[in-house]
């Protein structure tokens, strides 16, 4: 039975897509069968795995519309054991188009039902907003990973996101868990980075992943080559961080499963 994990934060620039792409790639390298669902109209996860966004004919937009089945939109990537439902800029329009639909928050959940058992993990890259696409992702998900950058405004907006998660638990998805808070863009030389880590751990204790994603130039370079950090530079800090995170996710879910 596959586990669906949404990666969400309404703040942009927190390492959300970086985490989606590289966690998916790391899980794949550890021999888990993974499907990445790109639910962000910017389609960065799609291009980050080497898929030509302009050439996408069927993707997340069509899946949310229920115009085609999820199975028909799946594309193989160059990352071992990783498939993707790609996105295209037209995904922007879906919020308006779904507005009058009955059960509009459940479109993604219903679409993924038929393929959930084909994968060990389905990882959803959410848009940096709390709009209808993200609500669909959180309604479909079993759990959510929240990336938090180790910077000054790290905790700003987190309360809003946690309230959104709470309301989705109350209304649409009572089984939604928080998989964990993931500290990203950590620079051990900066006092501020260390303060943010201490503060997040003080507030959230066991909800915080042990793995911290360090600032890493190679991590920033990889997407421009259409590769995960694992494919681009397997020995880099970034690759090692994401492999560790994947181990942590697998261990947690083996224990719970």
């Amino acid at each position: 039975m596959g586990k669906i994990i949404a990666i969400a934060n309404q703040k942009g620039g927190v390492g959300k897509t970086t985490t989606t792409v590289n966690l998916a790639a790391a899980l794949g390298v550890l021999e888990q069968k993974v499907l990445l669902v790109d639910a962000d109209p910017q389609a960065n996860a799609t291009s980050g795995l080497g898929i030509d966004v302009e050439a996408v004919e069927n993707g997340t937009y069509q899946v949310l519309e229920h115009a085609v089945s999820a199975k028909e939109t799946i594309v193989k990537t160059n990352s071992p054991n990783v498939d993707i439902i790609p996105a295209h800029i037209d995904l922007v329009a879906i919020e308006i188009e779904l507005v009058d639909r009955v059960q509009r928050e459940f479109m993604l959940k219903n679409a993924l039902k038929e393929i959930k058992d084909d994968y060990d993990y389905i990882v959803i890259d959410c848009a940096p907003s709390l709009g209808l696409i993200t609500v669909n992702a959180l309604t479909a998900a079993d759990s959510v990973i929240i990336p938090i950058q180790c910077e000054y405004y790290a905790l700003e907006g987190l309360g809003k996101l946690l309230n959104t998660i709470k309301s989705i638990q109350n209304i649409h998805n009572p089984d939604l868990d928080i998989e964990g808070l993931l500290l990203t863009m950590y620079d051990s030389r900066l006092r501020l980075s260390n303060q943010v880590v201490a503060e997040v751990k003080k507030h959230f204790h066991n909800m915080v992943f042990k793995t911290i994603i360090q600032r890493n130039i190679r991590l920033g370079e990889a997407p421009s080559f259409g590769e995960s950090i694992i494919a681009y530079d397997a020995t880099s800090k970034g690759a090692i961080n994401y492999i560790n995170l994947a181990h942590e996710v697998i261990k947690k879910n083996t224990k719970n499963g």
Side-chain angles (χ1 to χ4, degrees):
M1 186 67 167
K3 174 154 194 183
I4 302 180
I5 302 176
I7 297 182
N9 192 326
Q10 78 275 24
K11 274 172 72 82
V14 297
K16 186 177 47 58
T17 300
T18 301
T19 293
T20 309
V21 167
N22 293 310
L23 174 59
L27 287 166
V29 166
L30 297 175
E31 299 187 344
Q32 305 294 304
K33 203 159 186 289
V34 185
L35 175 67
L36 193 159
V37 179
D38 192 348
D40 181 350
Q42 295 174 73
N44 290 338
T46 301
S47 59
L49 279 175
I51 309 285
D52 178 5
V53 174
E54 293 306 314
V56 172
E57 284 177 22
N58 285 322
T60 318
Y61 176 86
Q62 286 75 16
V63 170
L64 283 164
E65 276 265 288
H66 287 196
V68 295
S69 71
K71 206 167 230 158
E72 291 173 81
T73 64
I74 292 170
V75 178
K76 282 213 167 315
T77 74
N78 294 329
S79 258
N81 300 316
V82 180
D83 293 344
I84 188 169
I85 294 180
H88 185 275
I89 189 70
D90 62 6
L91 187 56
V92 165
I94 203 76
E95 306 252 340
I96 298 154
E97 291 179 28
L98 290 184
V99 136
D100 301 327
R101 291 281 186 102
V102 179
Q103 287 214 307
R104 60 188 182 186
E105 296 89 354
F106 293 87
M107 302 300 270
L108 188 59
K109 185 186 181 87
N110 294 334
L112 293 178
K113 265 180 195 159
E114 57 152 357
I115 56 169
K116 191 173 178 183
D117 292 346
D118 298 344
Y119 293 92
D120 297 306
Y121 293 95
I122 296 177
V123 186
I124 308 175
D125 187 30
C126 296
S129 73
L130 296 176
L132 191 52
I133 307 178
T134 299
V135 170
N136 258 275
L138 294 173
T139 302
D142 299 305
S143 67
V144 55
I145 290 175
I146 303 170
I148 300 171
Q149 86 279 43
C150 296
E151 285 169 10
Y152 186 67
Y153 293 113
L155 297 176
E156 197 183 70
L158 187 59
K160 201 173 173 187
L161 179 61
L162 293 173
N163 286 338
T164 301
I165 289 168
K166 205 166 278 174
S167 73
I168 283 167
Q169 287 166 331
N170 290 336
I171 304 164
H172 305 303
N173 185 1
D175 301 323
L176 181 64
D177 278 331
I178 292 180
E179 188 79 20
L181 305 180
L182 176 67
L183 290 156
T184 62
M185 304 181 185
Y186 173 73
D187 185 340
S188 58
R189 297 165 304 180
L190 298 180
R191 185 195 290 169
L192 181 60
S193 273
N194 294 304
Q195 283 171 342
V196 171
V197 170
E199 198 170 331
V200 171
K201 286 185 172 172
K202 186 178 85 184
H203 284 30
F204 298 101
H205 312 290
N206 298 340
M207 284 167 68
V208 187
F209 282 107
K210 289 187 177 71
T211 303
I212 295 177
I213 310 300
Q214 292 163 287
R215 266 198 188 282
N216 180 233
I217 290 165
R218 309 294 277 168
L219 209 46
E221 290 171 351
S224 59
F225 292 90
E227 290 182 337
S228 74
I229 188 62
I230 319 285
Y232 182 63
D233 185 352
T235 60
S236 67
K237 256 187 210 161
I240 293 159
N241 290 164
Y242 278 109
I243 291 282
N244 289 341
L245 177 65
H247 275 299
E248 220 177 314
V249 169
I250 293 167
K251 190 176 170 190
K252 188 172 181 180
N253 287 295
T254 313
K255 196 168 65 185
N256 294 345

